[in-house]
Amino acid sequence: ADQYNTTVDSNTVHIERGEVTRRSILSDEEEIAALQTWLDNQVETKNQIVGLSTFIVARTGIRKVFSGQSVLESAWDARNNRGVTNEEQDVSSDTACMLASTSKLFTWTALSMLLDAGKFGLDDPVENALGFQLRNPSFSGTSITYRHLYSHTTGLKDDYTRYKYGDQCPIDAPFSHSETLEQSMRKVTDKNTSWSNWRPGSRYLYSNYATAIGALLVEKHSGMTFPDFTKKYIFEPLQMTATQWTRPSDGSACELYTLFQNRGYKYKTSPGGYCFPDYPSGQLWSTSGDLAKFSIAMLKRGNLGYTTADGADCLYSEEIGDLVFQKSSPSTGDGDSGLGWFVGPPYYDGGAGHDGSEEGVSTDLFVNLQGNNAVGFWANGELTNSQYASVLNRLLQTANAIGPMNNDYNASNPRSCTPTFSTAGSPTTPTPGPVPSPTLAPVTITPTCSDTTLRFKVKVNGKLRFKDCGWVRRQKNHCNKRGVSAACPSACGTCSTCADSPLRFKVTRSDGSKANKKCGWANS
């Protein structure tokens, strides 16, 4: 049974967002209906989006809203250079999709459960547990620590050359029957070219392979394979029955599409999906409903909301549940600076989250700590940065209108609990009952300088292009260009400097027309 799904009709008063603020009274069902209409419009008008599966966690529990197709009738097979046909399928509550980098939240959660169990400290060298040396050859005297992994400051680069497609991927193993996770990691980390030229801990470099090293440490500390650990101690206790590290083979999997518009086909795909050796960094398949269950546990700082047959009632202690949302390496920039979470501005103001993008898929999950709600989605298409923000903000608008989730977590009075990793066996189905009234203490995210959300012109390869701060975060070599660091101080690590950017921004006037303006125009 799904202990989280509820349906409650009641009126709520909220302020509609828009150019003109107005007050209206809508029932929860009217809010959801309005969201459905908006999502349908996005799928119909945005060519990048094939299907959307979304969730909201708010006062009435979990609400799931879907739109579009999980499988199209026809597409171009990018691997075999031919057209393919399928029976068209709509996105439903049973449809699972690959989560891309949003998968990392589950990898870091697994590692944090072992931190809670006392298996390591944040500043311990990871090679103590790995059983082999993991060091940047240029800085062989500097150990890589767990903190470096969590904050993406190891300096370990990524390798995208070993993807497998379709039937090359086993249905009962994430990547290979003949290659362990450790062997996959050592093939990359043993190469000098896999390392940056700066000292571990000194600079942020987002790393998929560093996340997979975190999963390998879960194996070393627990004595279990990483998929087995996450299934037994996270997915089963949270009743995430549609979540796994391999592509579902029961027909519930979505296909992953990229806008193509060539050879008579609108989209291209890799039939059967794909897999990669650093699978813990992005290869989890799940439904929006299962993601909602995980989000509830995160809002409750790890609490399951019931007790399993073996006496477990949490993933980890409430102290660790709070720590995962605290910045673990504030001196080395932003990014994954919580324990694997993006924390606070510019992406998740008032909370924490993680997005994901891979070939043919876009995902995002936001735990709103201050609003005590959560939202998220997956789309089997490649969304633009503005489309990511638009979908997430629209979901959050609906969640805020419905109201905060009931929550008995109290930051000033953390309770003791029994973590799943300290027990054995399978969870029991909880007995439905009333949820306690919230005693939630608001979580304050320390204000920091914020990057602009506007797109601005910057010279790239000799030509002026419209870009945003998300792009700058991935291309930090452009921070030294005129005005970029002022527009994106968080992305560029220049928060101590306060100045208007001299760049031209794209703005929308009150009459709906668009124009390119500078900050001087805003001051006037």
Side-chain angles (χ1 to χ4, degrees):
D2 188 337
Q3 77 267 33
Y4 297 118
N5 283 316
T6 59
T7 301
V8 177
D9 269 329
S10 61
N11 290 333
T12 180
V13 177
H14 69 284
I15 301 296
E16 294 280 2
R17 294 182 181 178
E19 293 296 326
V20 180
T21 300
R22 61 185 178 86
R23 182 175 297 275
S24 63
I25 301 177
L26 295 179
S27 71
D28 296 342
E29 296 310 315
E30 288 171 328
E31 290 286 356
I32 296 300
L35 174 61
Q36 180 74 69
T37 300
W38 188 90
L39 291 176
D40 290 344
N41 178 261
Q42 295 300 296
V43 171
E44 182 179 346
T45 61
K46 310 299 184 185
N47 287 331
Q48 293 87 350
I49 305 174
V50 175
L52 272 170
S53 181
T54 73
F55 77 83
I56 290 170
V57 170
R59 176 177 52 81
T60 55
I62 293 174
R63 309 305 294 262
K64 297 168 286 187
V65 187
F66 322 103
S67 187
Q69 284 73 51
S70 60
V71 180
L72 293 173
E73 184 177 16
S74 64
W76 181 256
D77 182 345
R79 302 271 72 80
N80 298 301
N81 292 318
R82 64 185 183 186
V84 291
T85 59
N86 289 288
E87 181 179 348
E88 186 173 276
Q89 297 179 30
D90 291 336
V91 177
S92 72
S93 61
D94 296 324
T95 308
C97 201
M98 194 175 76
L99 299 184
S101 286
T102 301
S103 307
K104 289 180 173 68
L105 294 179
F106 296 88
T107 300
W108 296 125
T109 295
L111 190 62
S112 295
M113 291 166 68
L114 294 165
L115 171 65
D116 186 53
K119 297 292 186 179
F120 61 88
L122 287 177
D123 297 308
D124 289 347
V126 298
E127 59 192 17
N128 290 352
L130 285 176
F132 62 88
Q133 185 169 321
L134 183 72
R135 299 207 178 192
N136 186 329
S138 299
F139 302 95
S140 58
T142 301
S143 297
I144 290 175
T145 68
Y146 292 83
R147 189 185 301 274
H148 296 153
L149 291 178
Y150 277 120
S151 61
H152 288 273
T153 57
T154 62
L156 182 60
K157 299 177 183 177
D158 284 323
D159 182 348
Y160 301 104
T161 62
R162 301 186 61 219
Y163 277 52
K164 295 181 179 181
Y165 294 88
D167 57 11
Q168 295 176 333
C169 301
I171 62 173
D172 57 350
F175 179 67
S176 171
H177 288 121
S178 61
E179 183 176 310
T180 65
L181 181 58
E182 178 174 341
Q183 290 169 333
S184 296
M185 294 302 97
R186 295 192 70 166
K187 284 184 177 181
V188 170
T189 60
D190 285 347
K191 296 188 297 185
N192 290 356
T193 55
S194 295
W195 296 91
S196 66
N197 60 355
W198 53 80
R199 186 180 301 277
S202 65
R203 186 170 172 180
Y204 173 85
L205 177 66
Y206 187 83
S207 174
N208 293 296
Y209 268 78
T211 307
I213 291 292
L216 178 56
L217 286 162
V218 171
E219 293 191 343
K220 296 291 186 178
H221 285 300
S222 69
M224 303 171 65
T225 67
F226 179 69
D228 284 348
F229 181 95
T230 50
K231 180 181 179 181
K232 181 172 183 178
Y233 296 119
I234 300 178
F235 305 153
E236 288 183 352
L238 291 178
Q239 300 180 13
M240 298 174 64
T241 57
T243 301
Q244 59 191 51
W245 293 100
T246 56
R247 186 179 190 270
S249 57
D250 60 358
S252 65
C254 72
E255 292 290 351
L256 313 179
Y257 295 103
T258 302
L259 189 63
F260 186 52
Q261 293 182 324
N262 199 353
R263 306 191 184 189
Y265 293 89
K266 187 174 183 179
Y267 299 98
K268 64 180 180 179
T269 187
S270 298
Y274 48 90
C275 56
F276 35 85
D278 55 319
Y279 71 87
S281 71
Q283 199 178 296
L284 191 65
W285 288 74
S286 189
T287 63
S288 57
D290 275 8
L291 289 179
K293 295 173 183 178
F294 173 74
S295 299
I296 289 175
M298 294 299 99
L299 284 169
K300 291 176 173 287
R301 307 312 194 270
N303 194 283
L304 299 179
Y306 77 105
T307 302
T308 71
D310 301 290
D313 56 0
C314 64
L315 298 179
Y316 41 46
S317 67
E318 290 186 351
E319 290 86 348
I320 291 295
D322 182 61
L323 181 65
V324 300
F325 299 129
Q326 307 304 317
K327 296 201 172 188
S328 61
S329 188
S331 63
T332 52
D334 210 48
D336 275 10
S337 51
L339 296 190
W341 293 76
F342 288 93
V343 178
Y347 301 115
Y348 300 105
D349 194 8
H354 209 298
D355 63 340
S357 62
E358 263 285 357
E359 182 181 317
V361 65
S362 306
T363 65
D364 212 339
L365 185 151
F366 174 42
V367 176
N368 184 7
L369 302 175
Q370 289 184 346
N372 204 29
N373 55 35
V375 297
F377 70 88
W378 62 251
N380 55 337
E382 297 178 14
L383 277 62
T384 66
N385 287 342
S386 62
Q387 287 167 352
Y388 268 93
S390 181
V391 173
L392 203 68
N393 287 338
R394 185 61 181 83
L395 293 172
L396 186 60
Q397 175 185 337
T398 302
N400 287 337
I402 292 175
M405 180 192 83
N406 287 332
N407 194 339
D408 55 4
Y409 166 72
N410 188 337
S412 62
N413 185 30
R415 299 162 299 179
S416 62
C417 66
T418 303
T420 56
F421 180 61
S422 66
T423 65
S426 301
T428 59
T429 301
T431 301
V435 179
S437 299
T439 54
L440 179 66
V443 175
T444 301
I445 304 296
T446 303
T448 63
C449 62
S450 297
D451 291 340
T452 180
T453 58
L454 299 173
R455 290 166 60 82
F456 50 83
K457 279 189 174 182
V458 61
K459 187 170 287 188
V460 182
N461 297 327
K463 296 182 179 180
L464 286 174
R465 305 288 190 190
F466 272 108
K467 298 294 183 180
D468 59 20
C469 291
W471 174 83
V472 172
R473 184 176 297 280
R474 299 187 296 271
Q475 306 285 338
K476 289 195 174 183
N477 57 307
H478 292 281
C479 285
N480 59 359
K481 293 186 177 179
R482 179 174 178 267
V484 172
S485 62
C488 309
S490 179
C492 292
T494 56
C495 287
S496 59
T497 302
C498 182
D500 286 343
S501 172
L503 297 173
R504 289 186 176 274
F505 296 88
K506 186 179 287 292
V507 299
T508 302
R509 297 190 181 99
S510 58
D511 62 1
S513 62
K514 297 183 182 298
N516 297 330
K517 297 293 184 180
K518 288 187 175 183
C519 288
W521 170 83
N523 292 332
S524 64

